[in-house]
């Protein structure tokens, strides 16, 4: 085996320029694959983290997943019902005290009850549509992301009591209102109530910053004429991955629709899986292209060293040694390219992590490219490189092993 290594090294070193080009081709492919994977995985992780941080892991509303069974279905064997619309139940979640007590006994995390109603916020001659959300200030910090996002005032001002309201800075800008001003909230029932702006928040999510107003739960109940009612229970779990099991148990016990964050964003998560498949397909294609360079070198070596192969086989080298020799040469080039590509990947990934920019238009703000540092990216890229190198080396190696030494020597003479 040491002799096979020496011969393989001699063959590779004998074509230094072509070997260097092949190694660089593999290294560039590996490096760009690692950088691309780090960037795409970082973007995906950052997006999922924002989903997990900004929305409840489980959201229980006063809706029913399916319509209630109709009396006609019990009275007749065959019934066809069309155009069925559920009754508007203004009671919200029935017996909320019992529901929250039951959740308190086993939920592995925090939860907060709220009453959400649609209305209009007015100031001076301007008005904007908004979701008016009544919350409990002592529980809200455990489930809401807005607590630490205040640009003026603070969340604790709501706990002080009174007719205080917290709104986004974008909504305040559209209204022309500022901190300390008094605005008027009008509910869908036509009831009005004045509130003092006690805080302005900025989450970076446009829909929240310009479309949500937070008041005390009792004030929202008065404004919507729904005393003691809640229609939403938001749950934050210690382990977000347990959300589907928690949602299933809560829905089975309470009878109300409970949606896990995975279900709420199912189409997005499926799109991320498809994107990963595309990404690794591209990585495979890059490594395949690099493999052609290795194939070209090994094929040239087997052609030029045909006489040497004949002599070695006549001296007793079996076909397996011939295959092993040229396969080793291909893998050696792939391994060298993988090592250099890993270093190039580290450099490119680090350079991408230093890129800074700011977007303050719509949606989420970002000031740095999200990068994921993962050993898996290096292992996968190197595996693709070594695999393509092995295939590229094996094909000419098999042909070289089948050469008849007598025919080669006769042809040379």
């Amino acid at each position: 085996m040491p002799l096979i290594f020496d011969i393989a090294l001699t063959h590779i070193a004998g074509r230094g320029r072509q070997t260097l080009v092949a190694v660089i081709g593999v290294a560039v492919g590996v490096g760009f694959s690692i950088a691309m994977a780090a960037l795409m995985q970082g973007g995906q992780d950052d997006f999922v983290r924002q989903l997990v941080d900004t929305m409840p892991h489980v959201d229980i509303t006063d809706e029913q997943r399916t319509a209630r069974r109709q009396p006609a279905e019990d009275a007749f064997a065959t019934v066809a019902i069309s155009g069925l619309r559920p009754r508007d139940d203004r009671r919200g979640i029935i017996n909320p005290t019992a529901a929250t007590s039951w959740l308190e006994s086993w939920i592995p995390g925090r939860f907060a009850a709220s009453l959400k109603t649609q209305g209009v916020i007015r100031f001076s001659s301007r008005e904007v549509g908004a979701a008016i959300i009544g919350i409990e200030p002592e529980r809200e910090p455990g489930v809401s992301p807005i607590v630490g996002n205040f640009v003026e005032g603070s969340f604790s001002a709501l706990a002080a009591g009174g007719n205080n309201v917290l709104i986004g800075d974008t909504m305040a800008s559209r209204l022309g209102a500022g901190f300390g001003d008094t605005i008027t909230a009008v509910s869908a029932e036509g009831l009005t109530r004045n509130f003092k702006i006690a805080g302005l928040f900025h989450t970076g999510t446009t829909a929240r910053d310009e479309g949500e107003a937070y008041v005390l739960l009792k004030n929202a109940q008065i404004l919507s004429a729904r005393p003691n009612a809640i229609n939403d229970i938001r749950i934050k779990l210690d382990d977000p991955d347990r959300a589907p099991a928690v949602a299933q148990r809560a829905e089975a016990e309470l009878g109300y629709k409970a949606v896990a964050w995975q279900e709420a964003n199912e189409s997005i998560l499926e799109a991320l899986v498809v994107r990963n498949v595309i990404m690794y397909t591209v990585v495979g294609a890059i490594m395949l292209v690099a493999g052609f360079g290795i194939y070209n070198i090994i094929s040239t070596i087997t052609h030029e060293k045909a006489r040497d192969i004949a002599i070695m086989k006549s001296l007793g080298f079996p076909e397996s040694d011939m295959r092993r020799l040229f396969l080793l040469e291909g893998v050696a080039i792939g391994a060298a390219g993988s090592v250099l590509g890993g270093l190039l990947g580290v450099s490119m990934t680090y350079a991408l992590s230093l890129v800074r920019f700011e977007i303050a238009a719509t949606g989420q703000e970002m000031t740095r490219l999200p990068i994921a540092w993962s050993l898996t990216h290096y292992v996968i890229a190197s595996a693709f490189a070594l695999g393509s190198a092995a295939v590229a080396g094996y094909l000419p190696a098999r042909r070289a092993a089948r050469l008849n030494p007598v025919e080669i020597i006769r042809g040379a003479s």
Side-chain angles (χ1 to χ4, degrees):
M1 198 63 185
L3 179 59
I4 296 296
F5 274 106
D6 289 341
I7 297 174
L9 182 61
T10 301
H11 284 177
I12 294 174
R15 304 191 65 83
R17 182 177 300 176
Q18 286 186 327
T19 300
L20 180 61
V21 171
V23 170
I24 292 176
V26 174
V28 170
V30 171
F32 274 90
S33 299
I34 291 172
M36 180 179 66
L39 183 60
M40 295 187 70
Q41 184 67 46
Q44 176 177 318
D45 292 345
D46 183 69
F47 182 74
V48 172
R49 184 175 62 253
Q50 289 180 10
L51 286 180
V52 172
D53 291 344
T54 59
M55 68 181 302
H57 299 156
V58 178
D59 192 13
I60 305 173
T61 62
D62 60 347
E63 300 176 3
Q64 302 287 335
R65 193 174 289 272
T66 58
R68 296 180 183 273
R69 187 173 179 83
Q70 300 302 302
E73 295 178 279
D74 297 326
F76 303 97
T78 304
V79 177
I81 300 175
S82 62
L84 180 64
R85 298 183 61 184
R87 181 182 300 174
D88 185 15
D89 192 348
R90 292 179 50 79
R91 295 175 295 176
I93 296 177
I94 298 175
N95 199 356
T97 302
T100 54
S101 298
W102 178 73
L103 292 172
E104 188 78 56
S105 65
W106 67 275
I107 285 292
R110 293 95 42 211
F111 70 90
S114 61
L115 177 64
K116 185 175 182 179
T117 183
Q118 297 298 320
V120 174
I121 304 297
R122 292 175 179 170
F123 179 77
S124 185
S125 59
R126 300 180 182 179
E127 60 181 36
V128 295
I132 303 171
I133 305 173
I135 60 174
E136 299 172 313
E138 62 277 8
R139 285 186 173 272
E140 193 68 16
V143 300
S144 178
I146 72 165
V147 177
N149 294 318
F150 279 81
V151 295
E152 202 167 356
S154 66
F155 183 82
S156 60
L158 195 62
N163 293 337
N164 292 328
V165 63
L166 308 175
I167 64 175
D169 57 352
T170 308
M171 179 188 291
S173 177
R174 290 181 60 187
L175 289 171
F179 179 77
D181 288 337
T182 299
I183 60 176
T184 301
V186 184
S187 68
E189 288 72 31
L191 299 177
T192 62
R193 194 175 182 89
N194 293 330
F195 293 95
K196 179 182 177 181
I197 300 177
L200 299 174
F201 58 82
H202 181 79
T203 64
T205 304
T206 303
R208 175 164 285 164
D209 291 339
E210 70 177 18
E212 292 184 353
Y214 293 86
V215 299
L216 290 176
L217 178 58
K218 63 178 182 180
N219 287 335
Q221 292 169 343
I222 294 172
L223 185 64
S224 60
R226 302 169 73 177
N228 303 318
I230 63 171
N231 59 7
D232 193 15
I233 300 176
R234 291 157 295 142
I235 302 173
K236 281 281 190 178
L237 301 174
D238 297 330
D239 181 9
D241 293 333
R242 296 184 59 187
V246 172
Q248 184 178 10
R249 180 178 176 183
E251 184 168 333
E253 177 68 24
L254 300 177
Y256 293 104
K257 186 177 181 180
V259 179
W261 69 270
Q262 292 96 328
E263 179 185 351
N265 300 280
E266 184 176 3
S267 60
I268 296 176
L269 296 178
E270 289 177 353
L272 294 179
V273 172
V274 173
R275 190 181 73 160
N276 286 338
V277 172
I278 295 174
M279 177 184 71
Y280 287 113
T281 301
V282 172
V283 170
I286 293 174
M287 293 299 101
L288 181 63
V289 172
F292 280 113
I294 299 175
Y295 176 80
N296 181 52
I297 290 179
I298 305 301
S299 295
T300 303
I301 292 176
T302 57
H303 179 73
E304 293 181 349
K305 303 297 182 182
R307 183 177 177 84
D308 295 349
I309 294 172
I311 294 174
M312 291 173 64
K313 294 188 71 174
S314 65
L315 291 175
F317 283 86
E319 290 188 4
S320 60
D321 281 348
M322 295 296 98
R323 285 194 298 267
R324 191 178 296 115
L325 169 64
F326 294 103
L327 180 62
L328 182 61
E329 293 177 10
V331 172
I333 295 174
S338 297
V339 173
L340 291 178
L343 297 176
L344 178 62
V346 170
S347 302
M348 293 180 64
T349 304
Y350 179 72
L352 289 173
S353 69
L354 298 179
V355 175
R356 293 182 58 87
F357 59 93
E358 295 186 4
I359 296 177
T362 60
Q364 294 288 344
E365 296 179 341
M366 184 186 304
T367 57
R368 193 183 293 272
L369 285 175
I371 298 296
W373 294 88
S374 175
L375 182 62
T376 304
H377 299 155
Y378 297 83
V379 173
I380 292 177
S382 298
F384 270 112
L386 291 175
S388 62
V391 173
Y394 176 76
L395 296 178
R398 185 180 62 174
R399 185 175 66 250
R402 293 176 176 177
L403 292 176
N404 189 332
V406 176
E407 294 179 358
I408 296 174
I409 295 175
R410 283 177 177 176
S413 60

